[in-house]
Amino acid sequence: MAPCLFHRSLCALCVAVMLGLGARCDHTEPPCGAYAPGDIILGILASVHSKVKDLPARIRPDQYTCTDFDLIPFVQSLAAIHTIETINDSGFLPGIRLGYLMCDSCVYATKALHCVEQMLAVNGSFPVLSNYSDFTSSVKAFLGERYSELSIPVAKFLSLYMIPQISCTSSSPALSDKSRYASFFRVIPSDVYQTKALAKLMKYFNWDWVGVVTLDDDYGKPALEKFLIDSGKEQICVEFQEVVPNYLGSTNIEQRIKEVAEKIQNSTAKVVLLILRPEHVAMLFKELIKTNTTRIWIASDAWSTTRFVMKMKDINKVGDIFGFTFLTGKIPGFEDYLKNLRLAPGERNDFIKEYKQMRFNCSQQSVHTSPLACSVTDPQEANDDYLLHAVDLTEAYNQRIAVYAVAHAIRKLLKCNDTACSGDVNLLPWQLVSILREINFTLDNKTYSFDEYGDFKNAYDLISWKMNGDERVPEVVGQFLIKNEEVEVNDSKIPWNNTVPLSRCSVTCLPGTEKNISTISCCYTCANCSEGYYSNKTDQLACKKCPEGSWSLPGSRECQKWNILFLEWSSAYSIVVMIGTVIGALLLVFSFIFFILHREKPIIKDILVTSCLMKFGLMVSFGGVILFLGSPNIHICRAQQTMYGLGFTLCVSCILVKALHIFLELMSSNPAKQRKLRKFDKPFVIIGILTVIQALICIFWMVFDPVNVEETQSKTQLLTLNRLCTQGSLYGFGAMHVYIALLAVLSFGLAFKGRDNETDPIVFSMLIHLFAWLCFIPVFITQYESRPIVQISGIMVSNYGVIFCHFAPKWFKILSEKSETKKAVKPPVESLTMDSDSGVVCGTSSETASIPSTPQSRFSIAESEMSNWDGNSLHLSEASIASFRHRRLKSWRSRSLRPISLRPRSLRPRSQTLMNL
């Protein structure tokens, strides 16, 4: 009976008080767990209990029975109450006292709506109106709820009446939508920024392979969706996404937690983001500790500073823990308030009573029970500092900001000054909404205001759970600045010894490589940069192209300047070429001088002009060889090809004229026909025409598709460019060489057809030239880099072939004749006698010797013999006859000191005579 009477009397007291406040409690059980009278009432929604008993089995709209007392929302509600009392004592609202009415939502949205409904009830009933512009109640504004899952339905409900609701922890991005939640405000940023902060933190440590565990409520789902967007922007991939039930009393929650723990244990991701409530985190950690599973945990704001998780048994075994927390700070006088929890007259707080019973009642044993509980006579009178250590008090600082935001709006609406407020305290709640949207106030030397979405845009603190014995304590190691959306980390406070743990799907791609991404952007293989590309950073998506003028080898970290390769003057081959060219030029100069000095010689006299033209052509050709050396340019490239083409064409044209002349002389047996053929024997006309044709070929070549300079990558040397002359049009290049080859073949053919001692030089020189260029063609086609060397070699061989086949034999012959002549001349004798048989004239003088003229009988016989040849015999040219006479004279001189018989010789066969010619 006593308990029943006590319960009835307590209810009666509640009704009486609420009638005085203009609000009512249910006649069976008051929804208000705490209240204090005042001129303006603030509603406090706080889920002091975390479960509703037997909720899954609920089939009737019975009253709710809440269990599992939670110290965090309890302390946060005390922070709001303490701030209200501080405002009342400070005279911030002169003449006006703030009261409060508090209801426990028990982390259940339906229960939260029930609380709001009863707190807004008028005379025990809830009015239904067509227009709520004039609707008013004793509660002018609401503080809370803690979780977005509860704040969302409450915000929708209060938006009907435009009663302001200010939350300190509900961060769901959905609540920023003013079209759906018109009267909702919060003194924290939206999760839009928290998920950005989480993604930036992972990017900072290069963690791109993570797992995510979320709740299946209106807080977890939007947060996951936003994180997936933000992480994608930072190239962070999610290996797994696991969802657990929001309601702790769910029948399958324990089984689901075990499945999630197994998933984490089997995953390759070393970083896991937990967007959960503290109770879910504690359950998950218990399972992971059993299997010694270690990860790097990223905490959402819901549990980043939860003390009871920090004090879990073996919490140090789970690994490193990071998280972001909202603006924190110390509430002046709050610690003393918690150490001396007392109720003022007219106040009620069932939650304080329940806490003290749990803490100091010997019969109610719990994790929070004091060791001195059994020595306490009256639990309601006992106090200690347990709450100061069990809960992070700085996390409750936002309650102070929220209460002051409402107080500033009321002060402005009631037009308060330092002494009085002139406005009516029975204000309409919706009037506070417009003021809150524009309010700007200062608290503890900081300025605060709501943005257009009803949110604060202050910074996040980055928290690291530091080991402290067997527990963890929070330590601020950085922050996330919303203005520039960047994470700042104090690396010196993170005990990793400069080695950050990895959480990647693939290994880091080192400089010199690029990522070959698979279907999952974070999973890739590393491939070496191709030639001409480089990467100087780790994990580059693509190698960069080398700047112009530089190059790189496969797998390079940087580019290097090209080594330009050409026939340098100082190279061994160039030195050999220059020596060969100088020697060739000297030989030509020597030959020119030699021929001039011996121009009266029969062997030179008739070919002096053409031989000089040949020397000039060869000299031009040698000059073209020199132009192949050194760094080429377009003018040098044109000159080297043109000089060779015209110079050697002039030389071969002279040889062709000589071959044609001999051919015409030897191939005509009929004097009349010979005279006719001699009309074509116009050497200078032929030479001019043939050279002009080559000049026209070169002109057309150089005008329509000229040679140029190009730099091509060397196939034999690394990072080397071959600077070479191009051939321009292959038709022009080919026409020039084919034309020279045709002249050489024609010369060879004519000389071979009329072959004698005079044509041998032509045959051999043209064979040398044709052989050299036949060898040149396949090498020229296949060995691009060696083209200049091959062409130089071909020119040198051709030039020296002409020198040694055409000029050297004549030097040798003339010098040999001189040598023989000197050997044949003896010292003078006293007298010379003419032997009638030998034809030698001898004189008697000791100083002089007379050399008789050539015996005419010998030449007469020869000439008579030639005059008696039949028509089938060969007809000798004047040059041949002169040569014949010269040889006879030479033979006579060699025998001038011996008696010469004047007896006539028998005539030899005609063929033997021609061979001697």
Side-chain angles (χ1 to χ4, degrees):
M1 289 292 295
C4 183
L5 290 174
F6 175 77
H7 179 72
R8 289 179 180 176
S9 62
L10 188 63
C11 184
L13 179 62
C14 178
V15 171
V17 173
M18 292 305 296
L19 286 174
L21 295 175
R24 290 184 178 274
C25 291
D26 189 275
H27 69 282
T28 58
E29 181 178 342
C32 45
Y35 60 85
D39 300 305
I40 298 176
I41 304 299
L42 302 181
I44 301 175
L45 297 173
S47 295
V48 179
H49 295 85
S50 58
K51 291 182 182 179
V52 177
K53 186 177 180 181
D54 298 329
L55 187 60
R58 182 180 174 87
I59 59 175
R60 295 177 59 184
D62 298 330
Q63 64 184 18
Y64 298 97
T65 302
C66 297
T67 61
D68 291 10
F69 193 89
D70 191 344
L71 292 182
I72 295 176
F74 171 63
V75 171
Q76 289 178 346
S77 67
L78 292 178
I81 293 172
H82 170 70
T83 304
I84 291 173
E85 292 178 358
T86 300
I87 291 173
N88 289 336
D89 296 340
S90 67
F92 182 76
L93 297 172
I96 297 176
R97 184 174 181 82
L98 296 178
Y100 60 85
L101 188 62
M102 179 177 169
C103 184
D104 185 3
S105 303
C106 304
V107 196
Y108 187 54
T110 306
K111 179 73 164 59
L113 290 173
H114 184 215
C115 288
V116 173
E117 182 183 42
Q118 291 195 338
M119 293 166 77
L120 294 179
V122 179
N123 297 324
S125 63
F126 200 80
V128 178
L129 305 173
S130 59
N131 186 350
Y132 290 98
S133 299
D134 297 327
F135 174 79
T136 186
S137 69
S138 59
V139 178
K140 306 301 182 182
F142 284 85
L143 302 174
E145 222 327 313
R146 180 184 181 191
Y147 300 108
S148 299
E149 173 75 5
L150 279 65
S151 292
I152 287 175
V154 170
K156 288 182 178 179
F157 185 66
L158 292 179
S159 294
L160 176 64
Y161 309 99
M162 292 299 290
I163 299 175
Q165 174 192 0
I166 303 178
S167 175
C168 300
T169 52
S170 297
S171 56
S172 173
L175 290 167
S176 297
D177 187 352
K178 296 297 103 179
S179 63
R180 292 189 291 169
Y181 311 101
S183 62
F184 179 82
F185 298 87
R186 52 188 166 193
V187 293
I188 58 170
S190 163
D191 271 343
V192 168
Y193 301 104
Q194 182 179 197
T195 55
K196 284 184 180 180
L198 294 170
K200 291 284 186 179
L201 176 65
M202 296 173 183
K203 183 66 175 180
Y204 181 85
F205 291 117
N206 290 321
W207 296 327
D208 63 3
W209 191 239
V210 301
V212 182
V213 183
T214 61
L215 294 173
D216 63 346
D217 60 5
D218 290 336
Y219 167 69
K221 292 177 181 178
L224 174 62
E225 292 175 1
K226 187 63 175 61
F227 174 76
L228 293 177
I229 295 173
D230 292 331
S231 61
K233 293 178 181 178
E234 302 294 338
Q235 284 80 48
I236 297 169
C237 300
V238 176
E239 181 185 4
F240 62 87
Q241 305 171 32
E242 296 296 324
V243 180
V244 299
N246 169 58
Y247 179 57
L248 291 173
S250 176
T251 55
N252 67 333
I253 187 168
E254 292 185 359
Q255 179 60 32
R256 183 65 187 132
I257 290 292
K258 290 181 180 179
E259 293 173 357
V260 172
E262 185 177 354
K263 179 69 176 180
I264 294 173
Q265 183 181 2
N266 296 330
S267 70
T268 58
K270 303 302 179 183
V271 175
V272 181
L273 171 62
L274 301 180
I275 307 176
L276 301 173
R277 287 165 47 194
E279 294 79 8
H280 295 85
V281 176
M283 295 174 65
L284 182 60
F285 279 178
K286 284 180 181 178
E287 294 296 326
L288 294 168
I289 290 171
K290 293 178 183 178
T291 57
N292 292 320
T293 302
T294 302
R295 293 290 186 273
I296 296 173
W297 308 98
I298 308 296
S300 65
D301 60 85
W303 66 277
S304 60
T305 56
T306 304
R307 285 291 177 88
F308 78 85
V309 180
M310 294 180 182
K311 297 180 181 223
M312 283 181 59
K313 183 181 178 181
D314 296 326
I315 186 63
N316 290 333
K317 293 183 178 181
V318 298
D320 296 308
I321 301 175
F322 295 90
F324 286 99
T325 184
F326 302 120
L327 185 65
T328 59
K330 282 191 174 183
I331 302 175
F334 188 47
E335 291 184 1
D336 293 335
Y337 176 81
L338 293 178
K339 290 190 290 185
N340 298 280
L341 289 175
R342 295 285 189 273
L343 295 178
E347 294 181 356
R348 174 190 170 188
N349 197 317
D350 295 339
F351 307 114
I352 294 179
K353 292 179 180 180
E354 184 177 355
Y355 165 70
K356 288 192 173 185
Q357 285 290 334
M358 181 177 60
R359 178 67 180 163
F360 300 110
N361 193 329
C362 185
S363 61
Q364 284 187 332
Q365 293 295 324
S366 70
V367 294
H368 305 298
T369 301
S370 172
L372 304 175
C374 294
S375 63
V376 174
T377 57
D378 185 1
Q380 297 302 319
E381 295 297 324
N383 278 297
D384 61 7
D385 62 352
Y386 175 70
L387 290 176
L388 275 63
H389 307 290
V391 178
D392 184 6
L393 301 185
T394 61
E395 193 176 358
Y397 184 75
N398 286 330
Q399 300 290 333
R400 172 178 168 83
I401 299 174
V403 174
Y404 265 98
V406 177
H408 275 278
I410 294 173
R411 179 183 173 89
K412 184 175 182 179
L413 181 62
L414 298 183
K415 301 177 182 179
C416 299
N417 53 32
D418 294 338
T419 58
C421 296
S422 60
D424 185 4
V425 296
N426 192 24
L427 56 89
L428 297 174
W430 60 264
Q431 293 176 313
L432 293 173
V433 174
S434 59
I435 296 176
L436 285 170
R437 288 184 178 180
E438 300 176 357
I439 198 169
N440 189 308
F441 65 97
T442 301
L443 180 64
D444 300 333
N445 297 321
K446 292 184 179 180
T447 301
Y448 301 98
S449 63
F450 297 99
D451 62 11
E452 65 272 22
Y453 304 109
D455 305 333
F456 271 14
K457 284 189 175 179
N458 40 21
Y460 289 93
D461 284 337
L462 175 61
I463 301 296
S464 173
W465 287 25
K466 184 180 179 181
M467 292 185 184
N468 184 24
D470 294 334
E471 300 178 354
R472 297 287 186 96
V473 292
E475 181 182 19
V476 177
V477 296
Q479 62 180 175
F480 175 76
L481 302 176
I482 292 179
K483 290 183 179 180
N484 58 11
E485 297 185 355
E486 290 296 332
V487 170
E488 295 180 354
V489 181
N490 187 348
D491 295 317
S492 61
K493 292 186 177 182
I494 300 177
W496 280 339
N497 297 324
N498 297 324
T499 303
V500 179
L502 297 178
S503 182
R504 305 173 69 88
C505 178
S506 303
V507 297
T508 301
C509 286
L510 299 175
T513 62
E514 65 180 357
K515 293 180 179 179
N516 284 339
I517 298 175
S518 62
T519 54
I520 302 174
S521 62
C522 298
C523 298
Y524 50 83
T525 57
C526 300
N528 284 337
C529 294
S530 57
E531 196 172 4
Y533 290 82
Y534 74 101
S535 66
N536 54 4
K537 297 179 181 178
T538 58
D539 288 333
Q540 283 197 198
L541 291 176
C543 297
K544 300 177 183 177
K545 190 175 182 180
C546 286
E548 189 173 351
S550 62
W551 200 248
S552 65
L553 300 177
S556 295
R557 300 185 178 189
E558 59 183 8
C559 296
Q560 301 178 18
K561 289 186 177 180
W562 281 108
N563 296 320
I564 306 300
L565 185 65
F566 51 85
L567 286 176
E568 297 183 2
W569 293 94
S570 59
S571 67
Y573 181 81
S574 298
I575 293 173
V576 172
V577 169
M578 286 187 287
I579 294 173
T581 303
V582 170
I583 292 173
L586 291 176
L587 290 175
L588 291 175
V589 172
F590 168 77
S591 180
F592 177 76
I593 297 172
F594 187 87
F595 277 34
I596 293 297
L597 294 176
H598 298 83
R599 60 184 177 276
E600 297 300 330
K601 298 290 184 179
I603 196 173
I604 294 175
K605 185 175 183 180
D606 294 338
I607 61 169
L608 180 62
V609 177
T610 56
S611 65
C612 289
L613 290 176
M614 289 175 64
K615 295 180 184 67
F616 177 75
L618 292 178
M619 188 66 77
V620 172
S621 182
F622 274 123
V625 169
I626 295 297
L627 295 181
F628 280 90
L629 307 180
S631 179
N633 58 51
I634 185 171
H635 303 295
I636 291 177
C637 292
R638 292 177 178 180
Q640 62 186 212
Q641 298 293 345
T642 305
M643 288 178 69
Y644 164 70
L646 294 177
F648 204 74
T649 298
L650 177 61
C651 179
V652 176
S653 298
C654 294
I655 294 173
L656 177 62
V657 166
K658 185 176 180 181
L660 178 64
H661 178 78
I662 295 174
F663 176 78
L664 294 177
E665 291 291 343
L666 295 179
M667 296 305 293
S668 178
S669 58
N670 189 339
K673 189 176 181 181
Q674 185 183 47
R675 287 192 296 271
K676 196 173 188 180
L677 290 174
R678 284 198 177 195
K679 295 179 181 179
F680 299 99
D681 190 10
K682 307 292 183 183
F684 297 111
V685 174
I686 295 173
I687 292 171
I689 292 173
L690 295 179
T691 306
V692 168
I693 292 174
Q694 182 68 287
L696 291 175
I697 292 174
C698 292
I699 289 172
F700 279 101
W701 178 18
M702 297 302 165
V703 169
F704 294 103
D705 194 357
V707 297
N708 208 334
V709 180
E710 71 174 3
E711 294 179 348
T712 58
Q713 187 174 354
S714 175
K715 297 180 180 179
T716 58
Q717 299 186 43
L718 301 177
L719 296 174
T720 301
L721 285 179
N722 287 313
R723 181 175 291 170
L724 300 173
C725 294
T726 65
Q727 279 67 52
S729 172
L730 289 178
Y731 297 106
F733 181 77
M736 181 192 77
H737 283 275
V738 169
Y739 180 72
I740 295 175
L742 288 176
L743 295 181
V745 170
L746 186 58
S747 299
F748 172 80
L750 292 174
F752 191 80
K753 188 70 174 176
R755 187 175 181 186
D756 69 349
N757 293 335
E758 294 295 328
T759 61
D760 288 343
I762 299 175
V763 171
F764 285 110
S765 64
M766 292 300 98
L767 277 177
I768 292 172
H769 168 74
L770 293 173
F771 180 77
W773 288 99
L774 283 176
C775 295
F776 159 78
I777 291 173
V779 179
F780 186 86
I781 294 173
T782 57
Q783 302 296 324
Y784 181 80
E785 298 177 9
S786 302
R787 284 183 176 182
I789 296 175
V790 173
Q791 195 167 1
I792 289 173
S793 302
I795 295 173
M796 296 290 285
V797 170
S798 298
N799 289 354
Y800 272 102
V802 174
I803 290 173
F804 287 115
C805 289
H806 284 268
F807 304 142
K810 291 180 174 56
W811 308 336
F812 180 76
K813 192 171 185 179
I814 294 174
L815 293 175
S816 298
E817 289 179 354
K818 279 190 174 183
S819 176
E820 291 179 3
T821 303
K822 288 180 180 180
K823 289 179 181 179
V825 176
K826 291 185 177 181
V829 293
E830 292 182 356
S831 61
L832 292 175
T833 58
M834 176 68 72
D835 188 351
S836 60
D837 291 333
S838 63
V840 177
V841 180
C842 299
T844 60
S845 174
S846 61
E847 298 179 356
T848 60
S850 176
I851 301 175
S853 60
T854 304
Q856 294 298 321
S857 60
R858 181 71 56 88
F859 289 96
S860 298
I861 293 171
E863 289 174 3
S864 63
E865 288 177 352
M866 288 189 291
S867 63
N868 292 328
W869 289 346
D870 55 26
N872 295 324
S873 302
L874 293 174
H875 182 72
L876 298 179
S877 63
E878 294 177 358
S880 299
I881 296 172
S883 177
F884 168 78
R885 290 176 175 172
H886 173 72
R887 290 196 296 271
R888 286 299 184 184
L889 178 60
K890 178 181 176 182
S891 176
W892 177 84
R893 285 177 178 174
S894 64
R895 297 190 298 268
S896 60
L897 299 181
R898 300 193 307 269
I900 300 176
S901 175
L902 296 177
R903 288 175 294 179
R905 293 182 180 179
S906 60
L907 293 176
R908 304 180 210 176
R910 296 177 181 177
S911 58
Q912 184 66 32
T913 304
L914 288 176
M915 289 180 65
N916 290 336
L917 292 177

